[in-house]
C-alpha cells in the first residue's frame, strides 16, 4: 500500500490507487493518460466529471486492495457520493491527489521512493535487450 495516496473524501480518509485496471479503464474512457490529464486540468464540468470518475475508480480500487490484504471493509464509493456542492478548495485538493496517485502509480517501487521511471528509457532498454537475443 506504499504507492497509494491518502485523501479526505466527504470527511472520511480514503486511499487512492492507480492500478493497471484503473489504467486500462482510463484508456477506454479517455484514450490515453495525456488526454485524461488534459480534461482533468480544466475548470469546467467535464473536468469535474473526470475528477469524479478518477476518484471513484481509484478509491474503489484501493478498497479492493485493502480487502485483499485483510483490512476491514469500508463502503465502496459511488458517483452520487461526489457532489458539485463541494468547495472549490476541496475540488482542487482532490484533483491534486488524483494526479499524485497517477504519478505514484508510474513510479518504480524501490527503497528510494522519490526515484521516477523514465518510461521512454525503459522502452528503449527493452527493445535493446530484445534485439540482443
Amino acid at each position: 500500500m506504499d504507492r497509494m495516496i491518502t485523501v479526505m473524501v466527504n470527511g472520511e480518509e480514503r486511499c487512492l490507487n492507480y492500478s493497471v485496471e484503473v489504467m486500462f479503464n482510463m484508456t477506454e474512457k479517455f484514450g490515453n493518460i495525456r488526454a485524461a490529464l488534459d480534461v482533468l486540468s480544466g475548470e469546467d464540468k467535464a473536468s469535474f466529471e473526470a475528477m469524479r470518475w478518477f476518484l471513484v475508480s481509484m478509491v474503489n480500487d484501493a478498497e479492493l486492495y485493502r480487502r485483499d490484504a485483510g483490512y476491514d471493509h469500508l463502503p465502496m464509493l459511488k458517483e452520487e457520493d461526489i457532489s458539485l456542492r463541494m468547495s472549490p478548495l476541496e475540488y482542487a485538493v482532490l484533483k491534486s491527489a488524483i494526479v499524485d496517485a497517477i504519478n505514484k502509480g508510474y513510479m518504480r517501487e524501490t527503497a528510494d521512493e522519490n526515484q521516477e521511471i523514465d518510461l521512454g528509457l525503459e522502452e528503449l532498454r527493452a527493445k535493446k535487450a530484445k534485439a540482443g537475443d
Side-chain angles (χ1 to χ4, degrees):
M1 292 186 15
D2 292 339
R3 69 176 190 258
M4 292 189 200
I5 299 291
T6 304
V7 68
M8 293 299 285
V9 179
N10 296 334
E12 188 174 29
E13 191 173 273
R14 301 299 294 259
C15 292
L16 301 177
N17 187 40
Y18 186 73
S19 67
V20 171
E21 182 174 6
V22 175
M23 181 184 73
F24 289 157
N25 292 340
M26 174 276 307
T27 301
E28 287 177 10
K29 182 166 183 69
F30 296 100
N32 59 53
I33 191 64
R34 179 163 289 141
L37 291 174
D38 284 346
V39 173
L40 187 63
S41 69
E43 295 294 329
D44 53 15
K45 286 188 179 179
S47 175
F48 175 82
E49 293 299 327
M51 181 279 300
R52 179 166 43 193
W53 183 88
F54 272 110
L55 187 65
V56 169
S57 297
M58 290 196 287
V59 164
N60 290 342
D61 194 79
E63 177 56 24
L64 293 174
Y65 186 92
R66 289 179 70 260
R67 290 177 183 187
D68 286 347
Y71 289 90
D72 290 338
H73 294 198
L74 295 174
M76 298 299 268
L77 195 61
K78 296 181 239 92
E79 282 195 10
E80 54 268 15
D81 295 333
I82 310 304
S83 169
L84 278 167
R85 305 291 175 267
M86 72 176 60
S87 73
L89 177 61
E90 183 180 5
Y91 174 61
V93 167
L94 290 172
K95 282 177 37 170
S96 178
I98 287 165
V99 172
D100 289 346
I102 292 169
N103 285 331
K104 209 161 191 182
Y106 285 111
M107 291 174 66
R108 183 178 302 192
E109 291 184 35
T110 63
D112 179 9
E113 69 178 37
N114 293 323
Q115 181 180 356
E116 295 184 30
I117 296 176
D118 182 333
L119 295 176
L121 183 58
E122 290 298 317
E123 186 178 330
L124 288 173
R125 286 183 182 152
K127 287 179 181 177
K128 185 176 179 180
K130 189 174 182 179
D133 289 340

